[in-house]
Amino acid sequence: MASPFCCTTLVLSYVSIALVVTIFPTLGTGSTRLVTTSELEMEAKAILHLDWWSWHSNDTHKRCSWVGISCNEAGSITSIDCSRFAVSGSISPQICALSSLEHLDLSYNNIIGELPQSLGKLTRLKGLNLSRNFVQGSIPSGCGNLESLKLLDLSHNRITGPIPSTLGNLTTLKMLNLSKNQISGPFPSTLGKLTNLKQLDLSFNQITGVIPREIGNLKDLSELNLSKNKLNGSIPLSIFNLSRLSILYLDSNLLEGPLPQEMKNLKALSFLDLSSNNLIGPIPSQIGNCSNLQELSLSNNHITGSIPFEVFSCPHYTLDLSHNFIEGEIPHQFDNDLYFQVLDLSHNNLTGMIPAYLWVSYVLNLSYNSLDGPIPGHLSEFSSDSFWGNKYLCGNIRGFSPCPSTSSNKLKIVEIILPVLCFLAFLALGVLLFLRSRAKDNIPEPNVTKNGDLFSILNFDGRIAFEDIIEATNDFDIRYCIGTGGYGSVYRAQLRSGKIVALKKLHRREAEVLAFDKSFKNEAKILSEIRHKNIVKLHGFCLHNRCMFLIYEYMARGSLFCVLAYDNEAMELDWTKRVKIIKDTACALSYLHHDCHPPIVHRDISSNNILLNSNLEACVSDFGTARLIDPDSSNQTMLVGTYGYIAPELAYTMVVTEKCDVYSFGVLALETLMGKHPGELLVSFSASSSNNIMLSDILDPRLPLPSDRRVTKDIVFATTMAFACLRSNPNFRPAMKCVSQAFLSRKRPVADRLQAISLLQLKEHGLYMDDEAKIQSQMSGEIVELHASSSS
Ligand SMILES: *[C@@H]1O[C@H](CO)[C@@H](O)[C@H](O)[C@H]1NC(C)=O
Ligand SMILES: *[C@@H]1O[C@H](CO)[C@@H](O)[C@H](O)[C@H]1NC(C)=O
């Protein structure tokens, strides 16, 4: 019988989504060996003892076809994959009879009891995953005999006692995860022999003593997480020789001593968290050499000195230096704006002004310092909490006094003369309008109701006359109203022909407001020129100043937002339908961006603006704020869109590009899969404090995890795409054309087990799309460059 890994290795070249793939590179017929009949009998007995398949009868003859079991050609069990099978029971010592076993995955179950010593006899075992169970007792020293082991994951259990030093014999190990247990005792220096290790996670334990300097031998290590232990002494300098390290978490320990200059050697470092220790001294300026650093947290230490400007020059998304003794000014010798997602410098002794080049998108905390001068206007959207405890700051924020004006003449002109001029201009305008409206009232109105002259009917089967609309809605009676938006109401109208249409009617009062009037006409203009199966169809419109309405195709199920909000409806929206909604939206956006001339940017993609028809198929709607990209202008604009979907760069560039829609699409795609707006996840993910979140943890809990492999792959794929679209740098987001085409292509990532895929993996392995994204950005090269130059 074929091992399930045969297929996973095939796809390896494509993308290695799960670490499992790299860990079991070559299994297959080669692993078959001679097994005696008595050995097979013992396997059958062991299976009964293990009691994880209680729903099967006691007849073990067909055990190779039991769910989760794979055998080799000789009929000997090579793999048990019972992750999330709600298996309860213990691990019987008889397990050692499974002499061909190479892969044992019982993660996310209710396994209790202790690990048997005999586990150590499974010398062919390559992967052992018992994470997220209730395993007790200590790790048997016999585990050190598992000489083929590449993955050992015992995280999220109730394991106590020390880490056996024999684990140092598992020299083929690539991943060792013992986090979230109650493991105590020292960090064995023998672990320094695990030179193939890529990932080591011992976080959330009670490990004491020092970090052995032998850790510097783990040359392949890319992720080291020792946070939340009781490690003391100083950070061994050998750690800084680990040139492949991209994640280093040593936070919440008792580490002491200064921050070493050698930190500069960690060239691959993306995430560094040394917070909540007893580290002292200044921040070494060399840290600025870490060109990949995205997150730096040194909070809650005893750090002194000033912030080296090199620290600010790193491409941080998150910088947390709070609760230290840092003094001096926030560095300001920069020509360009600096952009952070999270910036926390609170509870220090910083002085001087807040530099105006500083832009922050999610979290800003400068509280409890000694900063003075004005709060830059663009930061005043943050609440006063962000600035509290700085006595001499001023600005237009509640709790702060407004800044004193300088008394130059120029300013006086602006402050006094200009408002007077404006007032006079408005007065003149008002008089003019009044006279005009008087004049107009005298002109007889064209008879709107009798003929449909003011109608434009597009591509519609049969004519709709104005009377039809009035009749069908009883002159826009409230009974037919199915929704009210900011500037108008939506009505459902059944025409005489039986056809149902939706009417969006601008309120009379709003029709007189220029902005609403403009966006209404904008929508009519744009929608009447485009046709796409996933863009809501405009059947016609009436743009008379007495009565403005647009006639649309009726979308029976309303907005995606509403469908996701109600449990019953959300459950109707199964995984296949959800993936299709994401795919269809991508298709519509690709059309707008790449097939329309000039390209159209929607600017307000959100779950409110995705409408579903009776088959729960998606259409993009609401083009009130959409814009044609004019290659001759800078495309600078007012900020529009829906909070929670707006691309971060729009906050400071105000330049509309297609990539703003791509970002909103990313949020929408995640929302569709999660069943709610990703909210916090966007923050925590970009700040990487959520590395351990598994994909299965974020999927809409109202739907069962998919059993179909193809659906699983689609979900993994859609999530990968979503994360690529959410990249902070707009140039690294894929073009919608690529996203849409990738959905159409049959390529899908490996996704055997949704539970084994972490969000971090999806984010990192999204890299395979980069080549396509590059090609795409060359295709739309002019536009991208144009925006880049106009924004600077
Ligand atoms: C399997 O055997 C055990 C005892 O050997 C017995 O208690 C149990 O009822 C049997 N189960 C089935 C389904 O035959
Ligand atoms: C670290 O803690 C251990 C006790 O866990 C203690 O014996 C040792 O002296 C401490 N070492 C340092 C450098 O503080």
mmCIF file with all atom_site columns, all heavy atoms in Angstrom, residues 48 54-59, ligand 1:
data_model
loop_
_atom_site.group_PDB
_atom_site.id
_atom_site.type_symbol
_atom_site.label_atom_id
_atom_site.label_alt_id
_atom_site.label_comp_id
_atom_site.label_asym_id
_atom_site.label_entity_id
_atom_site.label_seq_id
_atom_site.pdbx_PDB_ins_code
_atom_site.Cartn_x
_atom_site.Cartn_y
_atom_site.Cartn_z
_atom_site.occupancy
_atom_site.B_iso_or_equiv
_atom_site.pdbx_formal_charge
_atom_site.auth_seq_id
_atom_site.auth_comp_id
_atom_site.auth_asym_id
_atom_site.auth_atom_id
_atom_site.pdbx_PDB_model_num
ATOM   1  N N   . LEU A 1 48 ? -4.934  -3.543 19.035 1.00 0.00 ? 48 LEU A N   1
ATOM   2  C CA  . LEU A 1 48 ? -6.066  -3.721 19.951 1.00 0.00 ? 48 LEU A CA  1
ATOM   3  C C   . LEU A 1 48 ? -5.779  -3.053 21.286 1.00 0.00 ? 48 LEU A C   1
ATOM   4  O O   . LEU A 1 48 ? -6.616  -2.371 21.863 1.00 0.00 ? 48 LEU A O   1
ATOM   5  C CB  . LEU A 1 48 ? -6.341  -5.204 20.169 1.00 0.00 ? 48 LEU A CB  1
ATOM   6  C CG  . LEU A 1 48 ? -7.198  -5.873 19.110 1.00 0.00 ? 48 LEU A CG  1
ATOM   7  C CD1 . LEU A 1 48 ? -7.533  -7.287 19.554 1.00 0.00 ? 48 LEU A CD1 1
ATOM   8  C CD2 . LEU A 1 48 ? -8.472  -5.088 18.854 1.00 0.00 ? 48 LEU A CD2 1
ATOM   9  N N   . SER A 1 54 ? -11.722 2.619  18.589 1.00 0.00 ? 54 SER A N   1
ATOM   10 C CA  . SER A 1 54 ? -12.757 1.885  19.311 1.00 0.00 ? 54 SER A CA  1
ATOM   11 C C   . SER A 1 54 ? -13.993 1.641  18.449 1.00 0.00 ? 54 SER A C   1
ATOM   12 O O   . SER A 1 54 ? -14.774 0.754  18.736 1.00 0.00 ? 54 SER A O   1
ATOM   13 C CB  . SER A 1 54 ? -13.131 2.643  20.582 1.00 0.00 ? 54 SER A CB  1
ATOM   14 O OG  . SER A 1 54 ? -13.298 4.001  20.260 1.00 0.00 ? 54 SER A OG  1
ATOM   15 N N   . TRP A 1 55 ? -14.156 2.451  17.394 1.00 0.00 ? 55 TRP A N   1
ATOM   16 C CA  . TRP A 1 55 ? -15.335 2.263  16.553 1.00 0.00 ? 55 TRP A CA  1
ATOM   17 C C   . TRP A 1 55 ? -15.188 1.088  15.603 1.00 0.00 ? 55 TRP A C   1
ATOM   18 O O   . TRP A 1 55 ? -16.130 0.671  14.965 1.00 0.00 ? 55 TRP A O   1
ATOM   19 C CB  . TRP A 1 55 ? -15.653 3.537  15.790 1.00 0.00 ? 55 TRP A CB  1
ATOM   20 C CG  . TRP A 1 55 ? -14.555 3.970  14.863 1.00 0.00 ? 55 TRP A CG  1
ATOM   21 C CD1 . TRP A 1 55 ? -14.415 3.610  13.572 1.00 0.00 ? 55 TRP A CD1 1
ATOM   22 C CD2 . TRP A 1 55 ? -13.459 4.804  15.173 1.00 0.00 ? 55 TRP A CD2 1
ATOM   23 N NE1 . TRP A 1 55 ? -13.291 4.172  13.048 1.00 0.00 ? 55 TRP A NE1 1
ATOM   24 C CE2 . TRP A 1 55 ? -12.685 4.921  14.006 1.00 0.00 ? 55 TRP A CE2 1
ATOM   25 C CE3 . TRP A 1 55 ? -13.035 5.484  16.340 1.00 0.00 ? 55 TRP A CE3 1
ATOM   26 C CZ2 . TRP A 1 55 ? -11.506 5.673  13.963 1.00 0.00 ? 55 TRP A CZ2 1
ATOM   27 C CZ3 . TRP A 1 55 ? -11.882 6.223  16.273 1.00 0.00 ? 55 TRP A CZ3 1
ATOM   28 C CH2 . TRP A 1 55 ? -11.125 6.316  15.099 1.00 0.00 ? 55 TRP A CH2 1
ATOM   29 N N   . HIS A 1 56 ? -13.958 0.538  15.485 1.00 0.00 ? 56 HIS A N   1
ATOM   30 C CA  . HIS A 1 56 ? -13.786 -0.654 14.668 1.00 0.00 ? 56 HIS A CA  1
ATOM   31 C C   . HIS A 1 56 ? -14.053 -1.884 15.513 1.00 0.00 ? 56 HIS A C   1
ATOM   32 O O   . HIS A 1 56 ? -13.928 -1.855 16.731 1.00 0.00 ? 56 HIS A O   1
ATOM   33 C CB  . HIS A 1 56 ? -12.362 -0.714 14.113 1.00 0.00 ? 56 HIS A CB  1
ATOM   34 C CG  . HIS A 1 56 ? -12.146 0.219  12.970 1.00 0.00 ? 56 HIS A CG  1
ATOM   35 N ND1 . HIS A 1 56 ? -12.684 0.025  11.728 1.00 0.00 ? 56 HIS A ND1 1
ATOM   36 C CD2 . HIS A 1 56 ? -11.439 1.370  12.889 1.00 0.00 ? 56 HIS A CD2 1
ATOM   37 C CE1 . HIS A 1 56 ? -12.334 1.021  10.934 1.00 0.00 ? 56 HIS A CE1 1
ATOM   38 N NE2 . HIS A 1 56 ? -11.575 1.846  11.616 1.00 0.00 ? 56 HIS A NE2 1
ATOM   39 N N   . SER A 1 57 ? -14.367 -2.990 14.848 1.00 0.00 ? 57 SER A N   1
ATOM   40 C CA  . SER A 1 57 ? -14.602 -4.224 15.602 1.00 0.00 ? 57 SER A CA  1
ATOM   41 C C   . SER A 1 57 ? -13.244 -4.766 16.046 1.00 0.00 ? 57 SER A C   1
ATOM   42 O O   . SER A 1 57 ? -12.202 -4.208 15.750 1.00 0.00 ? 57 SER A O   1
ATOM   43 C CB  . SER A 1 57 ? -15.303 -5.240 14.713 1.00 0.00 ? 57 SER A CB  1
ATOM   44 O OG  . SER A 1 57 ? -14.403 -5.663 13.711 1.00 0.00 ? 57 SER A OG  1
ATOM   45 N N   . ASN A 1 58 ? -13.254 -5.855 16.735 1.00 0.00 ? 58 ASN A N   1
ATOM   46 C CA  . ASN A 1 58 ? -12.006 -6.452 17.201 1.00 0.00 ? 58 ASN A CA  1
ATOM   47 C C   . ASN A 1 58 ? -11.281 -7.195 16.087 1.00 0.00 ? 58 ASN A C   1
ATOM   48 O O   . ASN A 1 58 ? -10.213 -7.747 16.310 1.00 0.00 ? 58 ASN A O   1
ATOM   49 C CB  . ASN A 1 58 ? -12.277 -7.419 18.370 1.00 0.00 ? 58 ASN A CB  1
ATOM   50 C CG  . ASN A 1 58 ? -12.582 -6.623 19.639 1.00 0.00 ? 58 ASN A CG  1
ATOM   51 O OD1 . ASN A 1 58 ? -12.398 -5.417 19.678 1.00 0.00 ? 58 ASN A OD1 1
ATOM   52 N ND2 . ASN A 1 58 ? -13.041 -7.337 20.656 1.00 0.00 ? 58 ASN A ND2 1
ATOM   53 N N   . ASP A 1 59 ? -11.875 -7.162 14.904 1.00 0.00 ? 59 ASP A N   1
ATOM   54 C CA  . ASP A 1 59 ? -11.270 -7.855 13.779 1.00 0.00 ? 59 ASP A CA  1
ATOM   55 C C   . ASP A 1 59 ? -10.195 -6.965 13.147 1.00 0.00 ? 59 ASP A C   1
ATOM   56 O O   . ASP A 1 59 ? -10.494 -6.008 12.450 1.00 0.00 ? 59 ASP A O   1
ATOM   57 C CB  . ASP A 1 59 ? -12.362 -8.181 12.749 1.00 0.00 ? 59 ASP A CB  1
ATOM   58 C CG  . ASP A 1 59 ? -11.774 -8.858 11.530 1.00 0.00 ? 59 ASP A CG  1
ATOM   59 O OD1 . ASP A 1 59 ? -10.585 -9.248 11.581 1.00 0.00 ? 59 ASP A OD1 1
ATOM   60 O OD2 . ASP A 1 59 ? -12.500 -8.987 10.534 1.00 0.00 ? 59 ASP A OD2 1
HETATM 61 C C1  . LIG B 2 .  ? -13.606 -6.646 21.683 1.00 0.00 ? 1  LIG B C1  1
HETATM 62 O O1  . LIG B 2 .  ? -13.068 -7.474 22.662 1.00 0.00 ? 1  LIG B O1  1
HETATM 63 C C2  . LIG B 2 .  ? -13.250 -7.051 24.018 1.00 0.00 ? 1  LIG B C2  1
HETATM 64 C C3  . LIG B 2 .  ? -12.575 -8.018 24.932 1.00 0.00 ? 1  LIG B C3  1
HETATM 65 O O2  . LIG B 2 .  ? -11.555 -8.703 24.314 1.00 0.00 ? 1  LIG B O2  1
HETATM 66 C C4  . LIG B 2 .  ? -14.751 -6.983 24.292 1.00 0.00 ? 1  LIG B C4  1
HETATM 67 O O3  . LIG B 2 .  ? -14.960 -6.480 25.597 1.00 0.00 ? 1  LIG B O3  1
HETATM 68 C C5  . LIG B 2 .  ? -15.405 -6.052 23.308 1.00 0.00 ? 1  LIG B C5  1
HETATM 69 O O4  . LIG B 2 .  ? -16.804 -6.055 23.486 1.00 0.00 ? 1  LIG B O4  1
HETATM 70 C C6  . LIG B 2 .  ? -15.085 -6.499 21.880 1.00 0.00 ? 1  LIG B C6  1
HETATM 71 N N1  . LIG B 2 .  ? -15.626 -5.524 20.952 1.00 0.00 ? 1  LIG B N1  1
HETATM 72 C C7  . LIG B 2 .  ? -16.289 -5.863 19.843 1.00 0.00 ? 1  LIG B C7  1
HETATM 73 C C8  . LIG B 2 .  ? -16.813 -4.740 19.023 1.00 0.00 ? 1  LIG B C8  1
HETATM 74 O O5  . LIG B 2 .  ? -16.429 -7.012 19.495 1.00 0.00 ? 1  LIG B O5  1
#
